Amino acid sequence: MGVAAAVNRGVGADRVRRVALVGNPNVGKSVLFNALTGAYVTVSNYPGTSVEVSHGSVTIAGVACEIIDTPGMYALLPITEEERVARELLLKDPPDLVIHVLDARNLERMLSMTIQLIEAGLPTLLVVNIMDEAERMGITVATELLQQRLGIPVIAAATARKRGLAEIRRAIVAYERPNCPLFNYSPRLDQDIAAVAGLLRGEYHISAKAVALLLLQGDDEVAALVAASEADNWEKIARTVKNKRFERRESFNVDLSMERKNVVSALLDGVLVLPEKRRVTLGERLSTLAVRPLTGVPLLLVILYFGLYKFVGDFGAGTLVDFFENQLIEAYFNPFAIQLVKAVIPWEIFQELFVGEYGIITLGLRYAVGIILPIVATFFLFFSVLEDSGYFPRLALLVDRLFKKIGLTGRAVIPMVLGFGCDTMATMVTRTLETVRERILATLLLALAIPCSAQLGVILALLSKVPGALLVWSLCLLLIFLVVGFLAARLLPGETPMFYMELPPMRLPQLSNILTKTYTRMQWYFLEILPLFVFASVLLWLGKITGFFEKAVNGLSPLMAALGLPPEVAVAFIFGFFRRDYGAAGLYDLQTKGGLDPRQLTVAAVTLTLFIPCIAQFLVMKKERGWKVATLIGVFVSLLAFGSGWLLNQTLLLTGWL
């Protein structure tokens, strides 16, 4: 059996060339994807899964190409759902070209997957990435010699520095399927592979050798595929596979791994040259400091202080909000809008819809543009700097031990940190966690104790004016986060999985990357929140003219009284139901009018931060976790929020703090 025609098909001028980027996580696939595609990107769930796959369109030298950024994978034999999706793309609908991106610093470990792609008969182009960091460490890679030995094109690149991009584009267009060499293993292993491959009669998108290897490794999905394709011949194939695995006493995977390691060593002989004395770069020194608790925790506190508190809270929620809201919107835009609406619309009731107390323009747009936009922009700028520097994987390693206490691994740090930007987006990112148990735990903690950037920025700006209030608020949230996580981890069945993460190099962030990432996230966020703010304003207007809004405020007044808060704070909680940042903006309005003392402000901030997830986050929770889990989380979070607010108020009254 040969490789199916789908892999060998030619690409005519009128057909789009499909190019898949594959490789380990954190090797620069997404950087290459963004460099090739620019803004022409769509993101969708892979059918039957919750894993997202990015597709981009680009024309290179007159050839239309579809670039596919696959989830990270370590081998053709999948373990996680992300790896399974990446393998499905190659197995069931192979692209015209597979670009394998690997890290030059870990060439020996990652080249094994290149061998698997070539063995599978897939049209492969190898990109040896992060060459700049490898060269700083004194590592040299003879890519021309490696190309001769592999029989496929090999390109040295540093995609974050734009190095090698022109060569990659040319290779995509000019790629012609080469005659790749056969990689031989020990005689015994080759005989085992041949015994299984010789029985295969069906047509597959990968070679018979690759199918046989996956069967011998115990791949259930490939076994089901072969069983469906081979019909009457399947029993004989299954018996042969079982016998071969039994002969090795279930050690086939280990034996194969060692033999592939020997093949890689032979390929790299004279190709990979390591320095006699390894050079330690500045990036590596910073990396070491970032992952050690003794130095990593102070470094994290410094980043949080200058990044979140000073840049997002002080500059974003203070300086920029004051400029946008007071000096632009309140001074110029709103008076003009009020005058225009009253001149165009003669009915007062409809004037209220646009420029009234809860008007679309005077409240909805003012909150969205004047208060929320500056804070979100500064947060995403800060987030993009950290992301492009390579700090997040180090943070994941730093908090892994603590996160294991609450049933998570260091991998969960990404959705948690992203939650400080937008909990809705972060809830979607929880799908990258390995187990359902981890996803539920992360979703619960995001809904409970992680404030989004706009809410966080407003609260930082409010509480920083009150000595001790910010400390009380921070300690309350941290304590609730840890206690609830600790208890939930013990109540939910299942075990915490092993944690493993590739470490990209730490480097100076690139301005172009920062601006591109910030713009993309800002565009997504603003397109999401603006319609919700308009929708909320319309509902509040309807609530006002029907009297329902006043009744809702009155209905919440006893609850506000139990928390030691004035009835007017109920408005912020009603706003918070639409969006958490909307509620924070309502609290901001109330405080600027002098409506709360320090104790009340702290209690309101803690309760509102813990309060029920906003509509957008709840709908995403329902989509990701189902109605039952989303509803249970919503009810639990609401009860805990008001319970914690009551307890905090009583504690502050008894102790006289604040």
Side-chain angles (χ1 to χ4, degrees):
M1 182 202 77
V3 181
V7 180
N8 294 306
R9 61 195 175 200
V11 181
D14 59 343
R15 202 181 72 77
V16 176
R17 174 170 292 193
R18 296 174 67 248
V19 180
L21 307 180
V22 303
N24 292 22
N26 295 323
V27 294
K29 295 196 310 298
S30 296
V31 175
L32 176 57
F33 175 79
N34 292 332
L36 291 174
T37 60
Y40 304 101
V41 177
T42 59
V43 180
S44 60
N45 285 0
Y46 190 76
T49 74
S50 61
V51 177
E52 288 186 344
V53 177
S54 298
H55 300 259
S57 299
V58 64
T59 301
I60 303 173
V63 178
C65 300
E66 178 192 8
I67 313 296
I68 306 167
D69 187 14
T70 68
M73 63 186 300
Y74 296 90
L76 284 184
L77 181 69
I79 298 175
T80 65
E81 187 178 18
E82 287 75 27
E83 286 186 290
R84 189 165 288 105
V85 166
R87 205 273 297 274
E88 288 284 295
L89 286 164
L90 301 178
L91 194 65
K92 295 189 176 178
D93 188 18
D96 301 293
L97 177 61
V98 177
I99 299 181
H100 183 208
V101 184
L102 49 71
D103 185 343
R105 302 168 305 162
N106 296 304
L107 188 60
E108 188 172 4
R109 178 164 55 83
M110 296 184 181
L111 198 62
S112 174
M113 185 173 155
T114 312
I115 293 171
Q116 295 174 54
L117 294 170
I118 295 171
E119 281 180 338
L122 294 167
T124 306
L125 165 67
L126 180 63
V127 173
V128 182
N129 199 24
I130 318 182
M131 280 296 299
D132 54 336
E133 291 295 321
E135 289 165 355
R136 284 196 193 98
M137 296 166 63
I139 298 171
T140 60
V141 181
T143 51
E144 291 185 4
L145 179 57
L146 182 60
Q147 177 170 299
Q148 292 174 14
R149 291 180 178 176
L150 289 175
I152 61 171
V154 178
I155 297 173
T159 52
R161 308 295 185 198
K162 314 302 180 189
R163 173 179 163 187
L165 291 178
E167 293 89 337
I168 293 170
R169 289 190 180 97
R170 286 197 294 270
I172 289 173
V173 175
Y175 187 88
E176 293 183 4
R177 191 179 186 85
N179 292 319
C180 299
L182 294 175
F183 301 110
N184 295 318
Y185 301 111
S186 67
R188 183 186 176 190
L189 181 55
D190 280 337
Q191 288 171 8
D192 291 343
I193 297 169
V196 177
L199 298 174
L200 299 175
R201 300 287 182 267
E203 285 293 324
Y204 306 98
H205 290 302
I206 58 176
S207 69
K209 182 177 183 179
V211 174
L213 279 167
L214 290 169
L215 288 173
L216 288 166
Q217 290 176 85
D219 191 319
D220 293 333
E221 292 178 17
V222 169
L225 185 68
V226 174
S229 180
E230 296 293 340
D232 297 339
N233 197 35
W234 167 241
E235 287 188 11
K236 186 176 181 182
I237 295 171
R239 187 166 56 252
T240 303
V241 170
K242 183 179 179 181
N243 290 338
K244 295 297 181 185
R245 286 178 61 83
F246 180 76
E247 287 172 6
R248 291 175 179 266
R249 297 298 187 271
E250 302 297 325
S251 68
F252 184 87
N253 290 0
V254 175
D255 295 343
L256 177 61
S257 177
M258 294 303 297
E259 299 222 18
R260 279 181 173 153
K261 186 176 180 180
N262 293 335
V263 172
V264 169
S265 296
L267 286 170
L268 292 180
D269 184 25
V271 169
L272 180 65
V273 181
L274 302 176
E276 292 183 9
K277 185 177 180 182
R278 190 172 179 275
R279 301 175 195 169
V280 180
T281 65
L282 177 61
E284 286 185 292
R285 291 192 180 96
L286 288 174
S287 178
T288 303
L289 293 174
V291 299
R292 289 178 177 171
L294 193 62
T295 52
V297 172
L299 178 62
L300 175 60
L301 293 176
V302 169
I303 290 171
L304 291 177
Y305 176 77
F306 287 103
L308 280 182
Y309 182 71
K310 299 299 290 183
F311 184 61
V312 179
D314 197 357
F315 177 67
T319 306
L320 289 183
V321 167
D322 179 67
F323 173 75
F324 274 87
E325 188 192 21
N326 297 329
Q327 298 183 38
L328 290 183
I329 295 177
E330 292 285 9
Y332 297 102
F333 183 73
N334 275 2
F336 170 76
I338 292 170
Q339 185 178 3
L340 180 63
V341 168
K342 288 185 176 181
V344 173
I345 301 175
W347 305 284
E348 184 178 350
I349 191 171
F350 290 109
Q351 292 174 2
E352 287 279 319
L353 172 61
F354 294 97
V355 294
E357 184 181 1
Y358 305 117
I360 292 172
I361 296 173
T362 50
L363 183 75
L365 290 182
R366 179 169 69 88
Y367 278 11
V369 178
I371 298 177
I372 306 303
L373 183 63
I375 299 170
V376 170
T378 51
F379 175 83
F380 281 138
L381 196 60
F382 163 67
F383 186 88
S384 297
V385 169
L386 290 186
E387 184 182 38
D388 206 54
S389 70
Y391 176 70
F392 283 141
R394 275 88 186 168
L395 178 60
L397 287 177
L398 179 66
V399 303
D400 180 57
R401 183 174 296 180
L402 174 62
F403 271 33
K404 279 188 167 65
K405 301 291 184 184
I406 56 175
L408 300 171
T409 66
R411 184 191 282 252
V413 79
I414 302 301
M416 291 300 166
V417 173
L418 194 55
F420 286 105
C422 177
D423 282 306
T424 305
M425 183 193 300
T427 303
M428 289 192 291
V429 175
T430 59
R431 63 182 56 164
T432 62
L433 302 179
E434 288 188 31
T435 65
V436 173
R437 177 175 179 267
E438 271 192 296
R439 294 168 197 162
I440 293 175
L441 283 170
T443 302
L444 168 63
L445 294 173
L446 281 168
L448 177 66
I450 304 295
C452 66
S453 59
Q455 185 186 39
L456 177 65
V458 172
I459 288 174
L460 288 177
L462 290 174
L463 298 185
S464 60
K465 300 171 185 176
V466 182
L470 187 59
L471 178 62
V472 171
W473 176 82
S474 303
L475 290 176
C476 283
L477 288 190
L478 180 61
L479 181 64
I480 290 170
F481 179 89
L482 293 175
V483 170
V484 171
F486 180 82
L487 294 175
R490 275 135 193 87
L491 292 174
L492 282 174
E495 295 182 0
T496 304
M498 295 292 291
F499 173 61
Y500 177 82
M501 179 173 280
E502 294 289 341
L503 288 180
M506 285 200 77
R507 61 174 84 210
L508 275 176
Q510 295 289 292
L511 181 61
S512 60
N513 293 342
I514 293 169
L515 294 178
T516 300
K517 291 175 180 178
T518 303
Y519 171 76
T520 303
R521 291 188 176 112
M522 281 295 302
Q523 185 182 43
W524 178 88
Y525 189 85
F526 200 58
L527 288 175
E528 179 206 287
I529 69 167
L530 190 57
L532 281 172
F533 275 37
V534 171
F535 176 65
S537 294
V538 172
L539 288 183
L540 291 171
W541 171 76
L542 288 172
K544 182 182 179 182
I545 64 175
T546 59
F548 179 79
F549 184 71
E550 185 179 354
K551 291 177 182 177
V553 172
N554 293 334
L556 286 173
S557 294
L559 190 57
M560 297 298 103
L563 297 176
L565 302 175
E568 294 81 8
V569 180
V571 176
F573 282 91
I574 293 171
F575 286 0
F577 174 73
F578 297 103
R579 279 201 65 88
R580 284 183 168 189
D581 40 13
Y582 208 165
L587 194 63
Y588 178 88
D589 256 0
L590 190 62
Q591 176 60 14
T592 52
K593 297 172 184 175
L596 298 170
D597 62 32
R599 173 185 56 81
Q600 291 173 326
L601 179 62
T602 307
V603 172
V606 170
T607 309
L608 190 63
T609 305
L610 299 172
F611 187 49
I612 188 171
C614 65
I615 290 176
Q617 186 181 357
F618 181 82
L619 291 176
V620 170
M621 284 165 52
K622 186 272 297 181
K623 177 185 175 185
E624 298 290 326
R625 310 279 90 89
W627 273 112
K628 183 179 178 181
V629 173
T631 303
L632 285 173
I633 289 176
V635 171
F636 172 76
V637 165
S638 300
L639 293 175
L640 184 63
F642 289 111
S644 301
W646 179 85
L647 184 61
L648 176 61
N649 182 56
Q650 297 301 314
T651 303
L652 294 177
L653 286 172
L654 287 172
T655 58
W657 293 342
L658 303 180

